[in-house]
Amino acid sequence: MATIKDVAQLAGVSFATVSYVLNDSMPVSEATRNKVLAAVTKLGYQPHRQGRNLQRQRTLTIGVLLPQANLLCEVDLATWLLEATNAATSAGYSLLLQPADSQARGDLADGWISFGTPLDPQLPQVWALAPPCDQPAVLCDAAFAAQRAVETLTHSGMRRIGLITLPRSIPGSARWYLGYRRALRRAGLGFDPGLVVEPAANRFHDGVAAYETLAASENDYDGLIVCGHQLATGVVMVDHAKVPVIVSHSSSQRGISGFRWPTELWAHTLVRKLLQQLDGAAIAHRTWLNPSLVIGSLGFKEDLDGFNYV
Amino acid sequence: MATIKDVAQLAGVSFATVSYVLNDSMPVSEATRNKVLAAVTKLGYQPHRQGRNLQRQRTLTIGVLLPQANLLCEVDLATWLLEATNAATSAGYSLLLQPADSQARGDLADGWISFGTPLDPQLPQVWALAPPCDQPAVLCDAAFAAQRAVETLTHSGMRRIGLITLPRSIPGSARWYLGYRRALRRAGLGFDPGLVVEPAANRFHDGVAAYETLAASENDYDGLIVCGHQLATGVVMVDHAKVPVIVSHSSSQRGISGFRWPTELWAHTLVRKLLQQLDGAAIAHRTWLNPSLVIGSLGFKEDLDGFNYV
DNA sequence: ATACTTTATTTAAACGTTTAAATAGATGAG
DNA sequence: CTCATCTATTTAAACGTTTAAATAAAGTAT
């Protein structure tokens, strides 16, 4: 592995000059610059991260605090990580994984991000140590989705909207409920507890069970919202498409309406914001990213005329 | 952030002595050792990773090459990463994420691992640069699962076993097919192409379609194997439980038999092996981890007496 | 007591880089 | 021709650690 000294020797200059060329931190004559660059390419020289960091007091690394369990069932952690990695890499940084409950964060990274939204009151307790409070707040809110779903249905004339929530043990579940209630209030509709079913767990057949509970009850509903990928799969399986259904995750599986979560954009934005913050820029206090509703082809669009959401 | 010099000063010794105490690399008298340790705890000193690495030529970091798409549909990348992180952290290492197609790997990490199995011939082409060929081979093979599934069914007297494979576009799909054919051969059963259906894609309703194709064909089958989580969900949804079914992923959703993939153990073992390799130990050429078959309660166990797999 | 060994500690060099300060070389003004 | 000014380059210190080599202090054999 070639060092800066090898480059300097080959180019016949001092290694400080090489550094100046590479960092543009001092004026260098055209002639020497060319000599240096030639030597760099010839040797395939790449600056040594550790050595550079030692001086600059920068690690060129972004830490990711990884919770022991996937906190956010709206978004796929793998996709999120991949996109965060891409964003970091293209800025010359790399991503360092650290368990959220581990001790030493210290000087391993210049800044820390975490996978999760600070909105849910349940979330903080998952972090053993203090949460990364200086993380730029990029928010992607399930309450928005719930609200949007309700609005979509009420704009189309529905008045009694059923909700199959996530079990309350799941972080983030409260946001769905919150958005649902808020939207009902704003639409001037009353809240009927009989229209809300909370499944026992977040699995396929819990969705089926919840759906059957709702259907068997005397509560009539003319629209339905289902949270959670697994639950929704179960519901869609047994649903008779009598009323419009909106699920938490758009899926190509069937023509059901659902949300597309901006996972990639979210990760990307979070990393970019952090980098800006590290550069000393004052960043926006909060950035909101909204899931978008994808209208399906099945049992909904056909029933509703004048429907203009995309 | 306290440095080793601060500790040395407080303890009234040279900073080399501090280093010796902390690394046990030279004999130190009991008295000074105590003085040093007291100073360390008092200042909350933690050795600076970068500085240490510079000298040791070790980064104390393991790189993970992250493919742009999840290669292995048997295993959840998030779980894998989390466990790998835990394993690395407990050994004092951290995990660094790098896109598989990025250029500079160089000196960012002491060793590299990747998510994927080197068994499938399709896999290498996903890596833009050379695959991390010195990665310890910890293998978790879908062919084994397929084979085991066939054996389980044939041991119970089934003779005509249907297979809903993964689409061949998906890396790893070939392993299922391979194991299936191998097991048939070993069981002395002929191969009937009519019993194998390859869905168009790896989605819920492709599973449904594949199942219906198989059911509608004139080919009778007395057992069924379904690969892929999504496909299996679809199949299970429409299956009438007439014949025993084994799916690729055990799931608590319903009492269907399926495999549990040792994701955590896999990640853990891979990291441990790499660390041993870095320490200069000669490690086993290949380590095999096998998925275990979880027998479900539905439509299978009841039909088969004398069933002793767990 | 002197020389030799052993043990505990310190000094100093090294790792690969950046960067402040020093120096050399050229240019221009007096 | 000398001095000051500017520019291009080099020297050397620094970052936080490890570790080989040097030193000091003590113990043991002669």
Side-chain angles (χ1 to χ4, degrees):
Chain A
M1 196 115 292
T3 76
I4 200 173
K5 294 188 180 176
D6 301 325
V7 175
Q9 192 171 17
L10 182 61
V13 295
S14 78
F15 57 88
T17 305
V18 178
S19 175
Y20 291 142
V21 169
L22 293 174
N23 299 307
D24 254 343
S25 41
M26 279 269 157
V28 174
S29 78
E30 200 61 26
T32 40
R33 154 168 281 116
N34 289 337
K35 276 192 298 181
V36 167
L37 290 179
V40 164
T41 48
K42 177 156 188 194
L43 293 176
Y45 167 73
Q46 296 218 190
H48 189 271
R49 237 357 196 308
Q50 325 288 331
R52 164 176 278 177
N53 299 344
L54 196 55
Q55 172 65 354
R56 284 203 176 152
Q57 302 292 73
R58 279 273 186 112
T59 60
L60 292 184
T61 294
I62 296 174
V64 180
L65 293 173
L66 218 55
Q68 290 293 329
N70 188 342
L71 295 179
L72 230 60
C73 59
E74 276 86 24
V75 164
D76 176 43
L77 176 59
T79 309
W80 190 87
L81 278 176
L82 181 60
E83 191 53 34
T85 304
N86 287 338
T89 302
S90 68
Y93 277 70
S94 15
L95 234 54
L96 188 82
L97 259 38
Q98 195 80 358
D101 53 3
S102 86
Q103 296 300 319
R105 305 198 183 156
D107 44 19
L108 267 61
D110 298 335
W112 294 89
I113 58 176
S114 65
F115 178 68
T117 167
L119 289 174
D120 194 277
Q122 285 183 62
L123 283 181
Q125 71 199 30
V126 178
W127 309 109
L129 276 59
C133 49
D134 50 350
Q135 160 177 345
V138 177
L139 304 170
C140 191
D141 192 5
F144 173 89
Q147 208 171 330
R148 178 83 194 274
V150 172
E151 283 167 7
T152 303
L153 292 168
T154 54
H155 282 17
S156 303
M158 316 303 169
R159 316 296 298 164
R160 295 182 51 76
I161 298 166
L163 174 69
I164 296 180
T165 64
L166 284 165
R168 71 187 62 195
S169 62
I170 290 182
S173 56
R175 301 300 301 173
W176 283 97
Y177 186 65
L178 196 104
Y180 171 78
R181 301 233 18 199
R182 184 161 60 197
L184 285 186
R185 200 176 333 113
R186 290 192 183 167
L189 296 173
F191 168 65
D192 179 353
L195 288 174
V196 177
V197 182
E198 179 189 348
N202 182 22
R203 289 164 307 178
F204 181 79
H205 70 266
D206 297 305
V208 177
Y211 181 80
E212 279 160 2
T213 302
L214 188 61
S217 76
E218 76 277 18
N219 295 294
D220 247 17
Y221 59 93
D222 52 12
L224 180 61
I225 299 172
V226 189
C227 310
H229 193 57
Q230 309 254 36
L231 292 170
T233 305
V235 169
V236 167
M237 179 179 128
V238 292
D239 179 46
H240 306 300
K242 293 219 185 103
V243 304
V245 175
I246 295 180
V247 299
S248 57
H249 294 77
S250 95
S251 115
S252 55
Q253 290 176 353
R254 295 179 76 188
I256 302 289
S257 301
F259 289 92
R260 189 196 317 280
W261 296 85
T263 311
E264 288 89 350
L265 184 60
W266 184 9
H268 197 87
T269 309
L270 184 53
V271 168
R272 301 296 311 214
K273 290 272 167 196
L274 181 64
L275 290 177
Q276 287 169 22
Q277 188 173 298
L278 289 178
D279 285 347
I283 61 163
H285 185 49
R286 296 189 152 190
T287 308
W288 288 93
L289 296 179
N290 290 328
S292 51
L293 181 54
V294 180
I295 297 299
S297 59
L298 189 78
F300 188 15
K301 204 175 186 175
E302 293 85 335
D303 299 343
L304 309 168
D305 45 358
F307 201 79
N308 62 356
Y309 289 93
V310 177
Chain B
M1 196 114 295
T3 77
I4 201 173
K5 294 188 182 178
D6 301 325
V7 175
Q9 192 170 18
L10 181 59
V13 296
S14 78
F15 57 87
T17 305
V18 177
S19 175
Y20 291 141
V21 168
L22 291 173
N23 300 307
D24 254 343
S25 41
M26 279 270 158
V28 174
S29 76
E30 200 61 24
T32 40
R33 156 168 280 117
N34 288 337
K35 277 192 298 184
V36 167
L37 290 179
V40 164
T41 48
K42 177 157 187 190
L43 293 176
Y45 166 75
Q46 295 218 190
H48 189 269
R49 249 329 211 317
Q50 325 287 330
R52 164 177 278 177
N53 300 345
L54 194 55
Q55 171 66 355
R56 283 208 177 146
Q57 301 292 76
R58 279 275 185 107
T59 60
L60 291 186
T61 294
I62 297 175
V64 180
L65 294 173
L66 219 54
Q68 290 293 328
N70 187 343
L71 295 180
L72 229 60
C73 60
E74 276 87 23
V75 165
D76 176 42
L77 176 58
T79 308
W80 191 87
L81 278 176
L82 180 59
E83 191 53 33
T85 304
N86 286 338
T89 302
S90 68
Y93 277 69
S94 18
L95 232 56
L96 188 83
L97 260 39
Q98 195 80 358
D101 53 4
S102 87
Q103 296 300 318
R105 306 198 184 158
D107 45 18
L108 266 60
D110 298 333
W112 293 89
I113 58 176
S114 65
F115 180 67
T117 167
L119 289 173
D120 194 278
Q122 286 184 60
L123 282 182
Q125 72 199 27
V126 178
W127 309 108
L129 275 60
C133 50
D134 50 351
Q135 159 176 344
V138 176
L139 305 170
C140 192
D141 190 7
F144 172 88
Q147 208 170 331
R148 179 82 195 274
V150 172
E151 283 167 6
T152 303
L153 293 168
T154 54
H155 281 17
S156 303
M158 317 300 168
R159 316 296 301 166
R160 295 181 52 76
I161 298 166
L163 174 69
I164 297 181
T165 64
L166 284 165
R168 72 186 62 195
S169 61
I170 289 183
S173 56
R175 300 301 300 173
W176 284 97
Y177 187 66
L178 197 102
Y180 171 78
R181 300 230 21 195
R182 186 162 57 197
L184 286 186
R185 198 174 337 111
R186 290 191 183 168
L189 297 172
F191 169 66
D192 180 354
L195 289 175
V196 177
V197 182
E198 179 188 348
N202 181 22
R203 291 164 307 178
F204 181 80
H205 70 265
D206 297 304
V208 177
Y211 181 80
E212 280 161 359
T213 303
L214 188 62
S217 77
E218 75 278 17
N219 294 294
D220 246 18
Y221 57 96
D222 52 13
L224 181 60
I225 299 172
V226 189
C227 309
H229 193 58
Q230 308 254 38
L231 292 171
T233 305
V235 169
V236 168
M237 179 178 127
V238 291
D239 179 47
H240 306 301
K242 291 218 185 110
V243 303
V245 174
I246 295 180
V247 299
S248 57
H249 294 76
S250 94
S251 112
S252 55
Q253 291 176 355
R254 294 180 77 188
I256 302 289
S257 301
F259 289 91
R260 188 196 319 280
W261 296 85
T263 312
E264 289 89 350
L265 184 61
W266 184 10
H268 197 88
T269 308
L270 184 54
V271 168
R272 299 297 311 214
K273 290 270 168 200
L274 181 63
L275 290 177
Q276 288 169 22
Q277 189 173 297
L278 290 178
D279 285 347
I283 61 164
H285 186 49
R286 296 190 151 190
T287 308
W288 288 93
L289 297 179
N290 290 328
S292 50
L293 181 54
V294 179
I295 298 299
S297 58
L298 191 78
F300 188 14
K301 203 175 188 177
E302 292 86 334
D303 300 343
L304 307 169
D305 45 358
F307 203 77
N308 63 353
Y309 289 94
V310 178

